């Protein structure tokens, strides 16, 4: 159709100009589209949405999302990847895809809190039972596996209290028992250890990872997204069918933002690790601090398991994320801890970590755990997420807030 055949509004939409293909530059183009065109009805009927060989509908993927999926799978050592609108959506999609009425799911007691809420809420409503297990006891996990157990959630380290479990033995046990494992890999992010190759010889790995890309892969504190990664095509397809039926997708702009941040993830992760360890060590020497909960600290719960997995080269310092907690001594009440948090100037009060700005959150531990935590000293737990500010400036900020709150 030429311009002479159509009115201007039609011509502006069905314009004959096509930009040349193969424009190459450092960034992946942002492809957006709910609608995908087909050349003819036969092409429409033949197009497959089940793999990445073609395009059918925006929800099933674009060149931008396919590219991000492939790069994230490489980051974590997986083969297949699905993108979802948040880390929590990744958790929910895995549980909904792999569990049905009558099944049981086992969840570590220190798991990311909203995973517990989902387990106690929607999963329970659907007739899926659960048990919380002690993340630091492989024996407890073994004792809780029953013929109804279909899925075991893992997190290394656990949220807020940062205990590093014996992941290798947990996964080995589940493999022997024939139970699917899914690791919340947000902390490790594919950088601290290889979740699909825990022994370094390809013989043992988790079945699925769920990753809050919201944290390190985004790195900006401005994008919500999650991924579900596998190394097993049939398992991937089970999750993909649920993903499709639930109507989950991510925006092209958000996918591009994560693609833009991905090349610097290693630099950011290691810088935040270095600064976090400096601050964790310094805080450990302050009189108001009863305990430091950072898996790389020698007296932290599960330190030996962290070392085994994240410092495989015996001479290396090992790798950790920029996240840790401290216990403020029980002689200080909640009000004093609140003064400490409110007095920080560079640290902001906020939950979602992995960005450039350092964050602090005070927690009420007894409300978060179903079992006693004798390895955590009495007091108030405060979690820090270290950003990209200068570590000495952050230390000075902590020093002035400690002095103000605790004298
Ligand atoms: C360990 C962990 N997993 C999952 C999530 C959920 O990520 P999102 O905020 O993208 O839902 C978070 C968020 O804080 C988290 O800390």
């Amino acid at each position: 159709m030429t311009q002479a055949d159509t009115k201007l509004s039609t011509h502006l939409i069905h314009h004959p100009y096509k930009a040349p293909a193969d424009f190459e530059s450092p960034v992946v183009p942002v492809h957006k589209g709910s609608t995908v065109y087909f050349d003819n009805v036969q092409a429409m009927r033949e197009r497959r949405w089940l793999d990445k060989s073609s395009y059918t509908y925006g929800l099933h993927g674009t060149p931008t999302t396919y590219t991000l999926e492939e790069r994230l799978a490489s980051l974590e050592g997986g083969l297949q990847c699905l993108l979802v609108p948040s880390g929590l959506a990744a958790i929910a999609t895995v549980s909904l895809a792999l569990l049905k009425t009558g099944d049981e799911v086992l969840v570590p007691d220190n798991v990311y809190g909203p995973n517990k809420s989902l387990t106690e809420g929607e999963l329970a409503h659907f007739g899926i039972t659960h048990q919380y297990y002690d993340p630091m006891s492989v024996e407890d996990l073994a004792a809780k596996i029953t013929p109804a157990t279909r899925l075991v959630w893992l997190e290394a380290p656990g949220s807020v209290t940062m205990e590093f479990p014996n992941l290798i033995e947990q996964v080995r046990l589940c493999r022997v028992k024939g139970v699917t494992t899914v690791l919340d890999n947000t902390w490790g992010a594919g950088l601290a250890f290889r979740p699909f190759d825990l022994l370094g010889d390809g013989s043992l790995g988790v079945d699925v990872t769920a990753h809050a890309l919201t944290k390190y892969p985004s790195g900006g504190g401005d994008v919500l997204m999650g991924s579900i990664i596998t190394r097993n095509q049939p398992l991937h397809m089970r999750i993909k069918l649920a993903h499709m039926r639930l109507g989950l997708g991510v925006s092209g702009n958000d996918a591009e933002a994560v693609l833009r941040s991905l090349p610097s993830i290693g630099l950011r992760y290691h810088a935040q690790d270095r600064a976090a360890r400096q601050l964790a060590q310094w805080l450990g020497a302050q009189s108001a601090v009863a305990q430091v909960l950072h898996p790389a600290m020698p007296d932290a719960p599960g330190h030996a398991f962290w070392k085994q997995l994240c410092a495989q080269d015996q001479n290396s310092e090992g790798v950790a994320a920029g996240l840790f907690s401290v216990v403020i001594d029980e002689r200080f009440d909640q009000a004093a801890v609140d003064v400490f948090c409110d007095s920080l100037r560079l640290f902001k009060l906020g939950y979602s970590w992995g960005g450039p700005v350092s964050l602090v959150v005070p927690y009420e531990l007894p409300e978060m755990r179903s079992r006693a935590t004798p390895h955590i000293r009495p007091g108030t737990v405060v979690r820090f997420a270290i950003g990209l500010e200068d570590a000495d400036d952050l230390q000075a900020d902590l020093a002035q807030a400690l002095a103000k709150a605790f004298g």
Side-chain angles (χ1 to χ4, degrees):
M1 238 183 262
T2 64
Q3 184 164 13
D5 301 327
T6 58
K7 301 270 189 320
L8 180 62
S9 59
T10 304
H11 186 67
L12 286 175
I13 296 166
H14 297 271
H15 196 284
Y17 177 76
K18 278 199 173 57
D22 301 328
F23 172 77
E24 290 207 65
S25 75
V27 296
V28 176
V30 184
H31 287 271
K32 300 206 241 181
S34 49
T35 307
V36 173
Y37 300 142
F38 305 90
D39 286 345
N40 51 51
V41 174
Q42 192 186 345
M44 193 171 208
R45 292 204 176 110
E46 286 174 357
R47 208 65 81 78
R48 289 170 55 78
W49 62 268
L50 288 169
D51 58 38
K52 295 196 180 92
S53 59
S54 57
Y55 306 98
T56 49
Y57 189 69
L59 201 54
H60 302 150
T62 66
T64 314
T65 60
Y66 284 178
T67 306
L68 179 56
E69 286 169 357
E70 292 299 310
R71 292 188 185 183
L72 290 166
S74 301
L75 173 71
E76 295 197 27
L79 292 176
Q80 305 91 14
C81 175
L82 294 163
L83 297 175
V84 288
S86 68
L88 183 54
I91 292 168
T93 304
V94 172
S95 282
L96 292 173
L98 301 183
L99 295 166
K100 61 179 188 325
T101 305
D103 290 346
E104 182 156 270
V105 58
L106 302 184
V107 179
D109 201 33
N110 58 1
V111 83
Y112 173 60
N115 191 339
K116 281 187 169 175
S117 309
L118 175 82
T119 303
E120 292 166 16
E122 278 65 21
L123 297 191
H125 299 162
F126 297 153
I128 297 157
T129 58
H130 67 269
Q131 294 186 72
Y132 294 127
Y133 68 88
D134 179 350
M136 301 313 282
S137 165
V138 180
E139 295 70 35
D140 188 54
L141 176 59
K144 293 205 158 80
I145 294 178
T146 72
T149 309
R150 289 286 170 277
L151 190 65
V152 170
W153 273 96
L154 304 160
E155 201 172 304
S159 283
V160 183
T161 39
M162 310 297 296
E163 300 94 340
F164 208 99
N166 188 347
L167 194 62
I168 291 173
E169 289 309 319
Q170 288 177 322
V171 173
R172 209 192 302 270
L173 168 72
C174 293
R175 180 146 318 169
V176 168
K177 299 273 186 182
V179 181
T180 303
T181 50
V182 50
L183 171 75
D184 184 325
N185 195 31
T186 306
W187 181 93
L191 295 159
F193 61 93
R194 308 293 291 160
F196 294 101
D197 185 14
L198 296 170
L199 300 177
D201 62 2
S203 66
L204 189 73
V206 301
D207 296 308
V208 187
T209 64
H211 188 166
L213 309 177
T214 309
K215 316 299 190 234
Y216 292 111
S218 148
D222 55 352
V223 174
L224 283 152
M225 201 181 291
S227 64
I228 301 162
I229 295 178
T230 43
R231 276 190 71 85
N232 172 310
Q233 185 65 13
L235 185 57
H236 166 70
M237 287 313 296
R238 276 177 72 193
I239 304 172
K240 186 179 173 80
L241 287 169
H243 179 268
M244 184 272 286
R245 291 189 282 249
L246 291 168
L248 300 168
V250 303
S251 96
N253 287 97
D254 286 348
E256 187 267 347
V258 179
L259 277 165
R260 198 164 192 274
S261 292
L262 221 46
S264 65
I265 188 171
L267 292 173
R268 290 183 281 106
Y269 194 88
H270 294 303
Q272 289 171 327
D273 176 11
R274 265 197 309 280
R277 287 200 224 189
Q278 173 185 325
L279 297 172
Q281 229 146 23
W282 181 84
L283 277 163
Q286 308 308 307
S287 71
V289 174
Q291 192 177 9
V292 177
L293 302 169
H294 184 309
M297 299 294 131
D299 54 354
H303 170 71
F305 301 127
W306 168 81
K307 205 164 171 191
Q308 185 183 14
L309 216 54
C310 306
Q312 286 186 349
D313 172 359
Q314 289 306 303
N315 299 320
S316 92
E317 297 276 278
V319 185
L323 197 69
F324 67 96
S325 297
V326 300
V327 181
I328 300 292
D329 195 279
E330 62 181 331
R331 69 184 189 275
F332 300 108
D333 62 9
Q334 183 70 54
V337 176
D338 290 356
V339 170
F340 167 69
C341 295
D342 285 339
S343 302
L344 289 163
R345 291 286 160 260
L346 296 176
F347 285 84
K348 301 292 176 195
L349 281 158
Y351 290 108
S352 197
W353 37 284
V357 178
S358 293
L359 301 171
V360 62
V361 184
Y363 283 96
E364 306 258 357
L365 191 58
E367 288 178 9
M368 298 161 61
R369 301 285 180 257
S370 70
R371 56 175 61 242
T373 49
H375 55 287
I376 309 290
R377 305 249 170 83
T380 305
V381 175
V382 175
R383 189 190 69 183
F384 299 99
I386 305 307
L388 291 168
E389 303 94 335
D390 184 273
D392 293 337
D393 287 342
L394 293 173
Q395 191 171 306
D397 193 26
L398 290 167
Q400 65 80 24
L402 283 173
K404 209 171 278 176
F406 309 123

